[in-house]
Amino acid sequence: MDIRQMAMAAKSAAVKLAAVKTAEKNDALQAVADALRAHAAAIIAANREDMAAAETSGLAAPLLKRLKFDETKLAEVIAGVESLLGLPDPVGTTLRATELDEGLELYQVACPIGVIGVIFESRPDALVQISSLCLKSGNAALLKGGSEALHTNRVLAAVIRGASEAAGIASGWLQLLETRSDVNEMLALDDCIDLIIPRGSNAFVKYIMDHSNIPVLGHADGICHVYVDAAADLAMASRVVCDSKCQYVSVCNALETLLVHQSVAPAFLPRVVSDLQARGVRVLGCERSRAIVPSLKEATAADWDTEYLDYVLSVRVVDDFDMAVDHINEHGSGHTDVIVTADAGVASRFMSLVDSGNVFWNCSSRFSDGFRYGLGAEVGISTNKIHARGPVGLEGLVIYKWLLKGSGQIVADYADGRRHFTHLPLKKDFSI
Amino acid sequence: MDIRQMAMAAKSAAVKLAAVKTAEKNDALQAVADALRAHAAAIIAANREDMAAAETSGLAAPLLKRLKFDETKLAEVIAGVESLLGLPDPVGTTLRATELDEGLELYQVACPIGVIGVIFESRPDALVQISSLCLKSGNAALLKGGSEALHTNRVLAAVIRGASEAAGIASGWLQLLETRSDVNEMLALDDCIDLIIPRGSNAFVKYIMDHSNIPVLGHADGICHVYVDAAADLAMASRVVCDSKCQYVSVCNALETLLVHQSVAPAFLPRVVSDLQARGVRVLGCERSRAIVPSLKEATAADWDTEYLDYVLSVRVVDDFDMAVDHINEHGSGHTDVIVTADAGVASRFMSLVDSGNVFWNCSSRFSDGFRYGLGAEVGISTNKIHARGPVGLEGLVIYKWLLKGSGQIVADYADGRRHFTHLPLKKDFSI
């Protein structure tokens, strides 16, 4: 099958999957979990093959670690699949119900998006996670994993497909792409694929966004800020800054630029720099920062637009609140930005004026995450301004349709004034 | 100002506009309505200039009619602006609230999208309508109207800008583009513009979608179907078909293809063709339709993919329900599709399986419209599969941000097991 045929098959399956009841989807998820358990040996053997090839080709140690799929990883992903059983089905919820006229009832009802293309890097667990999220939300999926994980992914996809189809899910709902040229073909299929979720490096996500007309859910950058206000508790500020920067440096919600109000900079900067340096962070400062802490290396204009993803932090002293907000809205990536202040009025203005998906007051930027938010499962993090923003749970994989139940009504009767709309809100869910 | 500068000014204004309270936005809308009334003479004079130029250049009569902006049109748009005062502000609504831990509260709060680019054709009333919708929802707007309406649009934009800015709305929130090359420049500004809403012909909308990375809200086609099932009330079916086709032929929710179950085709086709022909509709039929009504002209494969927007209808006899659903999902544009049947089970399956924004049972396709749905105001109709689908009201112009109020919490405490998430739903709205 070529990629178009695969996408057409997925589209055809998606239509059937949209009509599958919650209980049947949960049964299929349980069957997938059981099958993963039953095929543990084959999955792990395939992963050993991938690991051996990756070691031979000299894949870097952190990537090897992500590629590895052993009993522990398998148990984790099986637990992840089973945890979806308990989550509410996002499909079928009545979002709005209106009587347009007697016997003419309008319902806005959540439904799957359709066909989701997901591209992820070397972690095979992502394949299980994404395909089970798609199944729970009634979407068909075209998946492309890292080429290093090809054998593992083939076995995983075959197991998931076999178990779910045996449980009654329409054949074709899960398709595995294998090459980079497959991905390029997929990017052109905007008549079959409704949404692409790329998970990976900035450059990679940007490439996908630039080369497809299909909507993309994701984030290219994560340049996050903490602004320490004139009214900040400085001990709290340093704790929040250190956690935001150091708790896990290589992730999108880690701090990259610290902004400090000029009135507290002399008291705060020496303290926070010392705390950061004790944790191995290299601190780069603007001219005013370096006047206070002369040992700082110089931050240049390019630093304000740099996502280090490392033990590096840029620091800028700002004149006032407005300059901090302007800096964030100009240089940030709309991901996660934090204010530390004891002044509730200032915090409120910050939360209104900072145009980011996640805006925090007096806590670490590292909280912006689907599991920490209690979403139950995370599809990804979005810096989009439409559809879904910030950490995205299952509800990011659904849209809605408008269902209108009539009894022979025609528009001419309303246009000619023979009948009139009532537009009464209905307190009931859609049913036939 | 070049287009980038205009977009940057709009982006800067959008940040401030996002923080404006409902009462201030309503005051600004009232000021706009009053100013439109006060400047009626200048507006109508500018429109006379446009009309005179258009008549000289031989603009077609229907376009002249749309271009005309007289006392009646002005009164209508002023009423439209004032009607927005009574609508709920979509911004600021708390969509979800969760206690993550004691003193750490997460709120998902609706907020404006940011900067909306709207491109519309010759109707100057669209400028007023769109700009007031953007103002109510807290979005900045870049507007490009039809070049025939340039003088009218200039005066309207100046009046709206002047009145709203005098009422305290940030300068720069409303920008008027004037040429086609302005539009092409705008399409590239995906760093400043968050959403494009093109209103116009299919070819035009398709052009916009193909030439921009900015998300587009709209619909290119409207190939709508009525399926007359084996269990249909045939008198109702003919009424619904005639209304769907003829009530207003040149709109996206008008019927283009009629599908008829083979078991009722012999009884239904002669009747509906006669009803349609009496209204001046030219009916094209598949081979099986023509075996029943030999006078029909032949429908070719291309007809299933044609949006006539005229007194023309294609008819196909289908073997069964599945063939009807497959036809719709293959040839439809996901806009509006209707089943006529007395069998509730069949209707339920149709509503699940047809992948369209609007799926109707026993009523005319012409009901898919924001005003008929009771949305209060219509931004447009979307065949997107993400963000907003079908008729889109004000809520299509908002997204949300996640606001987290803490008291010094850091992630390390949770990662190390010193603290635990509570994830309790909160029954309160965001406030500081």
Side-chain angles (χ1 to χ4, degrees):
Chain A
M1 268 206 292
D2 69 12
I3 306 305
R4 169 163 286 281
Q5 286 173 315
M6 290 168 76
M8 297 288 287
K11 187 176 178 178
S12 167
V15 167
K16 296 180 192 125
L17 192 44
V20 173
K21 302 260 180 299
T22 305
E24 293 169 57
K25 291 190 288 190
N26 282 341
D27 288 349
L29 284 168
Q30 187 59 64
V32 165
D34 295 343
L36 289 170
R37 218 174 264 121
H39 292 85
I43 293 165
I44 290 165
N47 187 251
R48 286 216 190 91
E49 203 178 333
D50 285 331
M51 288 291 288
E55 279 162 21
T56 307
S57 72
L59 197 69
L63 293 177
L64 277 179
K65 193 177 156 199
R66 305 182 93 193
L67 176 57
K68 188 165 182 180
F69 200 77
D70 54 10
E71 281 84 356
T72 312
K73 279 275 184 68
L74 184 61
E76 279 172 24
V77 302
I78 291 172
V81 174
E82 289 179 335
S83 78
L84 288 180
L85 297 174
L87 287 186
D89 188 342
V91 170
T93 310
T94 297
L95 306 170
R96 183 186 180 116
T98 312
E99 182 199 271
L100 302 192
D101 191 4
E102 207 190 313
L104 185 63
E105 294 181 351
L106 178 69
Y107 297 86
Q108 185 187 27
V109 178
C111 65
I113 290 176
V115 180
I116 318 278
V118 189
I119 311 159
F120 49 95
E121 296 198 314
S122 50
R123 291 167 43 224
D125 37 328
L127 187 149
V128 183
Q129 193 192 356
I130 291 282
S131 57
S132 55
L133 286 166
C134 285
L135 178 51
K136 178 80 186 195
S137 57
N139 290 285
L142 269 71
L143 305 184
K144 164 67 172 68
S147 52
E148 319 79 24
L150 183 58
H151 295 96
T152 319
N153 286 340
R154 276 186 186 159
V155 175
L156 287 171
V159 168
I160 295 170
R161 204 160 36 214
S164 57
E165 293 181 9
I169 303 299
S171 161
W173 78 274
L174 179 62
Q175 304 280 346
L176 185 66
L177 312 192
E178 301 204 336
T179 68
R180 190 163 278 245
S181 90
D182 289 354
V183 171
N184 282 324
E185 281 185 61
M186 175 170 82
L187 297 181
L189 301 177
D190 58 353
D191 57 333
C192 308
I193 300 173
D194 300 302
L195 182 65
I196 289 191
I197 305 180
R199 297 164 51 132
S201 69
N202 297 355
F204 170 71
V205 174
K206 186 96 180 64
Y207 174 86
I208 300 292
M209 289 175 169
D210 286 347
H211 288 81
S212 185
N213 274 339
I214 304 171
V216 172
L217 183 79
H219 59 95
D221 292 305
I223 300 180
C224 303
H225 301 79
V226 171
Y227 164 57
V228 177
D229 181 53
D233 170 332
L234 300 186
M236 182 197 287
S238 185
R239 266 166 43 89
V240 165
V241 167
C242 289
D243 190 78
S244 299
K245 178 70 252 181
C246 307
Q247 202 270 330
Y248 193 4
V249 294
S250 62
V251 289
C252 58
N253 60 13
L255 174 64
E256 307 293 4
T257 300
L258 168 65
L259 302 170
V260 181
H261 192 284
Q262 58 171 345
S263 69
V264 292
F268 182 61
L269 278 183
R271 168 186 202 150
V272 75
V273 168
S274 155
D275 289 351
L276 287 163
Q277 286 176 343
R279 293 162 177 253
V281 177
R282 191 157 61 90
V283 183
L284 311 174
C286 68
E287 204 174 317
R288 290 159 85 182
S289 310
R290 295 172 71 218
I292 297 166
V293 185
S295 65
L296 294 185
K297 294 267 179 269
E298 187 182 353
T300 64
D303 283 294
W304 312 137
D305 301 311
T306 300
E307 184 181 17
Y308 305 110
L309 296 172
D310 203 350
Y311 285 89
V312 184
L313 180 73
S314 57
V315 179
R316 186 178 190 188
V317 173
V318 295
D319 295 344
D320 54 18
F321 173 87
D322 290 341
M323 187 174 164
V325 168
D326 288 348
H327 180 105
I328 293 171
N329 285 334
E330 183 179 346
H331 299 284
S333 39
H335 193 298
T336 302
D337 298 290
V338 179
I339 185 170
V340 181
T341 184
D343 184 329
V346 172
S348 172
R349 280 169 59 216
F350 187 85
M351 291 174 123
S352 289
L353 292 172
V354 168
D355 182 24
S356 298
N358 307 277
V359 192
F360 294 178
W361 176 27
N362 288 348
C363 56
S364 168
S365 64
R366 292 274 298 119
F367 282 106
S368 61
D369 168 279
F371 292 96
R372 292 186 193 122
Y373 277 11
L375 301 183
E378 185 177 279
V379 171
I381 288 200
S382 162
T383 52
N384 290 14
K385 299 290 287 287
I386 65 163
H387 186 63
R389 197 178 191 200
V392 181
L394 273 175
E395 73 290 348
L397 296 181
V398 299
I399 182 71
Y400 53 79
K401 48 168 79 165
W402 297 92
L403 303 177
L404 183 58
K405 298 199 299 190
S407 37
Q409 286 82 354
I410 61 174
V411 164
D413 285 341
Y414 299 83
D416 298 347
R418 284 187 296 274
R419 297 208 57 91
H420 300 280
F421 290 110
T422 55
H423 288 153
L424 297 174
L426 292 173
K427 293 223 177 287
K428 59 179 175 177
D429 290 340
F430 176 75
S431 70
I432 286 193
Chain B
M1 273 208 288
D2 70 12
I3 305 305
R4 169 164 287 279
Q5 286 173 313
M6 292 168 74
M8 296 288 286
K11 188 177 178 178
S12 167
V15 167
K16 297 180 191 128
L17 191 44
V20 174
K21 302 258 179 302
T22 305
E24 293 169 56
K25 291 190 289 189
N26 282 342
D27 287 350
L29 284 168
Q30 186 60 63
V32 166
D34 294 343
L36 289 169
R37 217 173 265 123
H39 291 86
I43 294 165
I44 290 163
N47 186 252
R48 285 215 191 91
E49 205 176 330
D50 285 330
M51 288 291 288
E55 277 161 22
T56 308
S57 71
L59 197 70
L63 293 176
L64 278 177
K65 192 176 157 200
R66 305 182 93 195
L67 177 57
K68 187 165 183 181
F69 199 77
D70 53 12
E71 282 84 356
T72 311
K73 279 274 181 70
L74 184 61
E76 279 172 22
V77 301
I78 291 171
V81 173
E82 290 179 334
S83 77
L84 289 181
L85 297 174
L87 287 188
D89 188 343
V91 170
T93 310
T94 297
L95 306 170
R96 182 185 179 117
T98 311
E99 182 198 90
L100 302 192
D101 191 4
E102 208 189 313
L104 185 64
E105 294 181 353
L106 178 71
Y107 297 86
Q108 184 187 28
V109 178
C111 65
I113 290 176
V115 180
I116 317 278
V118 189
I119 311 160
F120 48 93
E121 296 200 315
S122 51
R123 291 167 42 226
D125 36 329
L127 187 149
V128 182
Q129 194 192 357
I130 291 282
S131 57
S132 55
L133 287 166
C134 285
L135 179 52
K136 177 82 188 192
S137 57
N139 290 286
L142 269 72
L143 305 184
K144 165 67 172 69
S147 52
E148 318 80 24
L150 184 59
H151 295 96
T152 319
N153 286 342
R154 277 186 185 160
V155 175
L156 287 171
V159 167
I160 295 169
R161 203 158 41 211
S164 56
E165 293 182 7
I169 302 300
S171 161
W173 79 274
L174 180 62
Q175 303 281 345
L176 186 65
L177 312 192
E178 301 204 336
T179 67
R180 191 164 279 244
S181 91
D182 290 354
V183 171
N184 282 324
E185 282 185 59
M186 174 170 83
L187 297 182
L189 302 176
D190 57 354
D191 57 334
C192 309
I193 301 173
D194 300 302
L195 181 67
I196 290 191
I197 305 179
R199 297 164 49 132
S201 69
N202 296 355
F204 170 72
V205 175
K206 187 99 180 61
Y207 174 86
I208 300 293
M209 290 176 170
D210 286 347
H211 288 82
S212 185
N213 275 339
I214 305 171
V216 172
L217 182 79
H219 60 95
D221 292 307
I223 301 181
C224 303
H225 300 79
V226 171
Y227 165 56
V228 177
D229 180 54
D233 170 332
L234 300 186
M236 181 198 288
S238 184
R239 264 166 44 91
V240 165
V241 166
C242 288
D243 190 77
S244 299
K245 178 70 250 181
C246 307
Q247 202 271 329
Y248 194 4
V249 294
S250 63
V251 289
C252 57
N253 60 12
L255 174 64
E256 306 295 3
T257 300
L258 169 64
L259 303 171
V260 181
H261 191 284
Q262 60 171 343
S263 69
V264 291
F268 182 62
L269 278 182
R271 168 185 201 152
V272 75
V273 167
S274 153
D275 289 350
L276 287 162
Q277 286 175 343
R279 292 159 179 254
V281 177
R282 191 157 62 89
V283 183
L284 312 173
C286 67
E287 203 173 318
R288 289 159 85 182
S289 309
R290 296 171 71 218
I292 297 165
V293 185
S295 66
L296 294 186
K297 294 266 178 268
E298 186 183 355
T300 64
D303 283 293
W304 312 137
D305 301 309
T306 300
E307 184 180 18
Y308 305 110
L309 296 171
D310 203 349
Y311 285 89
V312 183
L313 180 73
S314 57
V315 181
R316 187 178 188 189
V317 173
V318 294
D319 294 344
D320 54 21
F321 173 86
D322 289 341
M323 186 173 164
V325 169
D326 288 347
H327 179 105
I328 292 170
N329 285 333
E330 183 180 346
H331 299 284
S333 40
H335 192 299
T336 302
D337 299 291
V338 178
I339 185 170
V340 181
T341 183
D343 183 330
V346 171
S348 173
R349 282 170 57 217
F350 187 84
M351 292 172 124
S352 290
L353 292 172
V354 169
D355 182 23
S356 298
N358 307 277
V359 192
F360 294 178
W361 176 26
N362 288 347
C363 57
S364 168
S365 65
R366 292 274 300 119
F367 282 106
S368 62
D369 168 278
F371 292 95
R372 291 182 196 125
Y373 277 11
L375 302 183
E378 185 177 279
V379 171
I381 289 201
S382 163
T383 52
N384 290 15
K385 297 290 287 284
I386 65 163
H387 186 64
R389 196 179 192 199
V392 181
L394 272 175
E395 73 290 346
L397 295 181
V398 299
I399 180 72
Y400 54 79
K401 47 168 78 165
W402 296 92
L403 303 176
L404 183 59
K405 297 200 301 191
S407 37
Q409 285 83 356
I410 60 173
V411 163
D413 285 342
Y414 299 84
D416 298 346
R418 284 187 296 274
R419 296 208 58 90
H420 299 280
F421 291 110
T422 55
H423 289 152
L424 296 173
L426 292 173
K427 291 225 179 288
K428 59 179 176 179
D429 289 342
F430 176 73
S431 70
I432 287 195

